[in-house]
Amino acid sequence: MAPTLEGSDAALLPDFPRGPLHAYRARASFSWKELALFWDGADMLRFKKTLFSTLENDPLFAQQRGGDLSMEKYRELNFLRCKRIFEYDFLRVDDMLRSPLKVLGLVTCLGTYDWSLATKVLLHMLTFGSTIYSSGSERHFKYIPKVFNMEIFGCFALTEVSHGSNTKAIRTTAHYDPTTEEFIIHSPDFEAAKFLVGNMGKSATHAVVFAQLYTPGGQCHGLHSFVVQIRDPKTLLPMPGVMVGDIGRKLGQNGLDNGFSMFHKVRIPRQDLLNRTGDVTPEGTYVTPFKDSRQRFGASLGSLSAGRVVIVAMSVVNLKLAVSIALRFSATRRQFGPTDEEEIPVLEYQMQQWRLLPYLAAAYALDHFAKSLFLDLVGLQQGLLENDRSARQAELGREVHALASASKPLASWTAQRGIQECREACGGHGYLAMNRLGDLRNDNDPNCTYEGDNNVLLQQTSNYLLGLLAPGDPGGARFQSPLKSVAFLEAYPALLGQRFQAASLKDCLDSSVPLAAYEWLVCYLLRESSEKLNQEKRAGSNDFTARNNCQVYHCRSLALAFLELTVLRRFHEHTHQPGVPPPLRAVLQRLSALYGLWSLSQHMALLYRGGYFSGEQAGKMVDSAILALCSQLKDDAVALVDVIAPPDFVLDSPIGRANGELYKNLWTTILQESKVLERPSWWPEFSANKPVIGSLRSKL
């Protein structure tokens, strides 16, 4: 059991040591402790502190992210750490049900330490374990205790060598044999091998395997999931008929063992079909509660929406870590100044503010969105578990799917660009591996790919939005919106007639301005995308070709703008609610306005082309407002980072430590590196009779 922490808020949020960052902390317009309590709540802060303190005091976690270990040793260490996490029992099943945000908190806290560890835990406990729970029935609940005590270790096997995004074309088969009441799992060739599956490379004993289900007579009922044992838990040797192995080194997260598997007529009991969306009787008859096969297929892949929502939170963590490092560095790094004798922190430069502070605002906006979307997902899954067949539940599923499909691209791409900007903003120090920005960049990169390629996923969202327009009536929309994310489309025709109204710079400094602009922009892109689609069809294109020809400049932009609007709306409502403590309102509302205007500025050409902006003054006003907000937030930047940055032990970046002792921290870390002052072992002995070059040649 992990120790629990009690005590006052002062113990929960201790003061930072005085140092070079103190000047900025003293100038902050708010109390960082008050914002931390408002942002996360005391219960979540206590949970995080317990987890971080436990890791810091356990020698098993002393060497961050594998250090200089070989890949094999790193994976061994990562598995031992994963096992220790379950032994600590940070989050029990009843806690997960009572406080679902703690599930997200566990994953993100572990991720701030090491994504190889967090992803290993996530794939086993949530992806594998929760898929069994949500896609199976009572007969499968026997697996759940085994997941939590690590009697078995799981993975999620959907992707194949030749198919990833096109899940309907998955080629692994599951033929039912009524004579033995078994399914026969089979991979017809290497192209059908399960591939890139996390935990499968070395450690998984069981897999949720997706395969095409066939009943006697040869009828295919589409993709279904099965629990398949792939290794012996005692020996980790492959089960008969299973070929399983590791795919090798990746760009990042090399403590995670991604693998492949092929199945040669592997027999499993009929009961190991996860049967919430469809089942097979002992005699071989297929039964399903869904009348529409498309609804059943969507429900069978519901776990993918969960994965995408978690990836949003994972991407946000990477962005938060990067801006924490870069802004603390910028507040202590001094270069140039008004006189030769006076150097100023680089954070005082407008360019540095413009490069970094919008990403700080994005980290806050996307963090709030990730939590709220996760709670929406929990509500959806609760309805599924209760067999809710209402029209509202079905619409909620479509809406969550559309939001999850676009939020993963937006969050992962924002983090990708933000980490790179932070790396460059820290100059040569940002390029040092010890300062972690390179690891963050590499570890974030797969977020752009797994659980669906970003550009492909955006088509799911644009298709959802296009489906809201009534056929043959471009001036109207028909929909239900349980989460109210598309409720603004009720005013679709009227919104298209709106124009930019801000008359002064002061008017622009509130997020209601970009919010109104985004509503117009989404309506405009929806109309343009619909007209483009109809134009393609009138020209003779079939539906596949027509949609393919509508993605660039139309549907892709539509999906991203819609999600940016949704993130901004939720952040705007959160920062303008009556429950915000008065001392926090100004800084939070500035963050909301900056995120909205900065995001909107990337669509400036569309705003002018569609007529929402006219004349040069509108564009200049947005630019000036962004710079004004950056200037206003500059003195609050360090305190805002203090709210979201983890302890130094976890942040693990000398230039990002909370004491702000930039050069002392660098020097101490360099001296701790082994053999930094020693002559290289490969350098030859000098002698008068043995020239250096000749000696080197003899070694080569």
Side-chain angles (χ1 to χ4, degrees):
M1 283 288 293
T4 58
L5 291 166
E6 304 293 341
S8 66
D9 293 342
L12 190 61
L13 299 168
D15 292 331
F16 290 105
R18 289 182 68 91
L21 288 173
H22 177 73
Y24 276 102
R25 287 177 175 136
R27 292 205 297 268
S29 67
F30 66 97
S31 162
W32 75 271
K33 296 182 182 183
E34 186 176 13
L35 179 54
L37 286 165
F38 172 74
W39 195 254
D40 275 334
D43 190 42
M44 180 62 76
L45 289 173
R46 194 168 290 110
F47 175 76
K48 289 181 177 181
K49 191 174 181 82
T50 297
L51 194 153
F52 287 144
S53 298
T54 303
L55 298 189
E56 187 170 5
N57 292 315
D58 187 333
L60 188 63
F61 296 88
Q63 190 176 19
Q64 290 283 48
R65 298 185 305 285
D68 295 324
L69 296 175
S70 68
M71 187 172 71
E72 187 69 15
K73 286 294 184 182
Y74 186 11
R75 291 181 175 178
E76 177 187 355
L77 177 63
N78 199 43
F79 182 80
L80 293 174
R81 286 171 170 172
C82 178
K83 186 172 182 293
R84 185 66 57 85
I85 292 298
F86 281 93
E87 290 170 355
Y88 279 130
D89 198 18
F90 288 113
L91 196 58
R92 298 181 178 182
V93 176
D94 56 339
D95 289 332
M96 296 169 65
L97 298 174
R98 185 172 58 252
S99 303
L101 279 179
K102 284 188 178 178
V103 176
L104 205 60
L106 175 65
V107 173
T108 55
C109 284
L110 293 177
T112 61
Y113 173 79
D114 183 359
W115 280 119
S116 289
L117 173 61
T119 309
K120 194 167 193 67
V121 172
L122 166 69
L123 290 171
H124 171 61
M125 181 178 74
L126 295 181
T127 311
F128 174 73
S130 70
T131 297
I132 292 175
Y133 182 75
S134 61
S135 298
S137 58
E138 191 171 347
R139 73 192 192 202
H140 302 106
F141 291 170
K142 63 183 180 181
Y143 289 111
I144 303 303
K146 296 179 181 180
V147 168
F148 280 88
N149 63 25
M150 287 185 67
E151 185 178 337
I152 62 175
F153 202 74
C155 61
F156 185 85
L158 174 62
T159 297
E160 296 179 353
V161 170
S162 63
H163 287 94
S165 297
N166 186 9
T167 52
K168 288 184 179 179
I170 291 296
R171 297 179 63 241
T172 303
T173 59
H175 284 84
Y176 182 66
D177 181 357
T179 61
T180 59
E181 295 190 23
E182 293 174 316
F183 284 100
I184 304 169
I185 309 296
H186 186 66
S187 309
D189 50 45
F190 175 66
E191 290 185 15
K194 297 300 180 182
F195 201 69
L196 285 166
V197 180
N199 288 346
M200 182 174 274
K202 297 288 185 183
S203 51
T205 63
H206 290 68
V208 169
V209 175
F210 284 81
Q212 305 289 350
L213 189 157
Y214 288 84
T215 48
Q219 184 178 0
C220 179
H221 299 276
L223 205 62
H224 288 68
S225 53
F226 304 80
V227 179
V228 181
Q229 184 173 347
I230 60 174
R231 288 187 178 95
D232 184 324
K234 294 182 179 178
T235 65
L236 284 187
L237 293 174
M239 298 299 290
V242 178
M243 178 187 290
V244 59
D246 192 285
I247 62 171
R249 184 173 290 276
K250 310 178 293 292
L251 294 180
Q253 296 192 29
N254 281 301
L256 179 68
D257 51 312
N258 292 76
F260 72 93
S261 64
M262 294 182 68
F263 304 95
H264 182 70
K265 298 180 180 179
V266 175
R267 289 179 172 266
I268 64 170
R270 178 184 69 89
Q271 290 82 359
D272 281 342
L273 163 66
L274 296 176
N275 62 334
R276 186 168 294 276
T277 61
D279 205 352
V280 174
T281 66
E283 299 75 25
T285 301
Y286 182 78
V287 293
T288 177
F290 293 90
K291 296 179 181 178
D292 187 336
S293 61
R294 291 174 299 178
Q295 282 187 335
R296 188 209 59 75
F297 178 75
S300 69
L301 294 179
S303 52
L304 292 182
S305 283
R308 290 163 190 159
V309 172
V310 174
I311 289 171
V312 174
M314 293 166 67
S315 301
V316 173
V317 167
N318 291 328
L319 181 59
K320 289 197 291 186
L321 292 171
V323 296
S324 296
I325 294 167
L327 282 167
R328 283 178 174 170
F329 171 86
S330 298
T332 51
R333 173 77 162 178
R334 292 175 176 268
Q335 296 289 289
F336 307 106
T339 67
D340 291 342
E341 292 76 26
E342 180 187 2
E343 287 189 305
I344 63 173
V346 295
L347 184 53
E348 294 299 318
Y349 290 100
Q350 186 183 76
M351 179 66 75
Q352 195 81 343
Q353 298 165 22
W354 175 78
R355 294 173 72 185
L356 296 178
L357 293 179
Y359 285 109
L360 177 63
Y364 270 88
L366 287 167
D367 189 40
H368 173 68
F369 177 76
K371 294 171 186 173
S372 65
L373 185 60
F374 185 80
L375 292 176
D376 294 334
L377 177 74
V378 170
L380 172 66
Q381 292 186 329
Q382 187 62 37
L384 292 173
L385 292 173
E386 295 171 357
N387 293 314
D388 184 349
R389 307 286 184 203
S390 67
R392 184 192 182 281
Q393 175 72 9
E395 192 58 46
L396 177 63
R398 285 188 283 272
E399 193 169 3
V400 168
H401 175 71
L403 292 172
S405 295
S407 60
K408 186 183 90 75
L410 178 63
S412 59
W413 278 334
T414 302
Q416 182 189 59
R417 293 192 302 268
I419 294 166
Q420 181 63 26
E421 194 67 65
C422 289
R423 207 294 298 154
E424 294 180 28
C426 294
H429 294 299
Y431 193 65
L432 285 174
M434 71 171 73
N435 288 320
R436 198 180 178 183
L437 289 165
D439 283 348
L440 287 174
R441 185 172 57 190
N442 289 341
D443 285 349
N444 182 75
D445 225 33
N447 292 336
C448 302
T449 301
Y450 49 32
E451 302 289 353
D453 173 85
N454 281 355
N455 284 291
V456 175
L457 283 181
L458 290 171
Q459 297 179 41
Q460 300 287 319
T461 305
S462 61
N463 287 342
Y464 166 78
L465 293 169
L466 286 166
L468 299 178
L469 289 184
D473 181 14
R478 54 178 181 83
F479 53 85
Q480 292 179 331
S481 181
L483 301 177
K484 307 301 182 187
S485 65
V486 291
F488 70 100
L489 289 176
E490 292 176 2
Y492 172 70
L495 283 172
L496 284 170
Q498 296 292 318
R499 295 296 180 264
F500 184 66
Q501 296 294 323
S504 66
L505 175 63
K506 184 178 179 181
D507 292 340
C508 272
L509 301 180
D510 187 84
S511 46
S512 60
V513 171
L515 195 58
Y518 261 115
E519 289 186 345
W520 175 90
L521 179 62
V522 173
C523 290
Y524 172 74
L525 286 169
L526 183 57
R527 184 188 69 186
E528 294 293 295
S529 299
S530 178
E531 289 179 354
K532 173 66 173 174
L533 182 61
N534 291 330
Q535 176 188 336
E536 289 288 332
K537 289 180 177 179
R538 285 194 301 270
S541 298
N542 58 29
D543 187 68
F544 176 84
T545 303
R547 290 186 184 276
N548 181 47
N549 292 342
C550 288
Q551 298 308 313
V552 182
Y553 302 126
H554 292 88
C555 293
R556 182 183 185 275
S557 301
L558 167 64
L560 282 171
F562 167 68
L563 210 285
E564 288 165 1
L565 164 62
T566 306
V567 173
L568 176 59
R569 187 191 307 283
R570 293 194 181 190
F571 194 38
H572 172 86
E573 291 172 352
H574 186 58
T575 57
H576 288 71
Q577 61 165 308
V580 178
L584 303 179
R585 288 174 187 168
V587 66
L588 287 174
Q589 290 174 14
R590 285 172 186 149
L591 287 172
S592 180
L594 178 57
Y595 173 73
L597 290 168
W598 172 73
S599 298
L600 185 71
S601 68
Q602 299 169 62
H603 303 286
M604 201 78 80
L606 286 170
L607 294 166
Y608 273 109
R609 190 175 76 188
Y612 187 77
F613 280 177
S614 60
E616 64 179 19
Q617 196 59 34
K620 286 183 176 180
M621 200 178 297
V622 169
D623 290 347
S624 297
I626 290 171
L627 294 177
L629 287 163
C630 286
S631 178
Q632 292 172 12
L633 286 165
K634 177 255 300 181
D635 286 344
D636 286 330
V638 171
L640 286 166
V641 162
D642 290 341
V643 174
I644 60 175
D648 288 344
F649 166 75
V650 176
L651 184 62
D652 191 33
S653 174
I655 64 173
R657 287 183 190 155
N659 64 11
E661 298 286 357
L662 174 60
Y663 302 114
K664 288 182 181 179
N665 295 334
L666 276 170
W667 179 238
T668 302
T669 306
I670 289 171
L671 289 180
Q672 288 173 347
E673 296 287 330
S674 61
K675 302 180 180 179
V676 294
L677 300 178
E678 294 181 13
R679 190 184 67 182
S681 60
W682 45 265
W683 191 255
E685 295 289 341
F686 288 98
S687 71
N689 300 323
K690 196 171 187 181
V692 171
I693 299 301
S695 178
L696 280 173
R697 280 202 189 111
S698 68
K699 286 183 176 290
L700 293 174

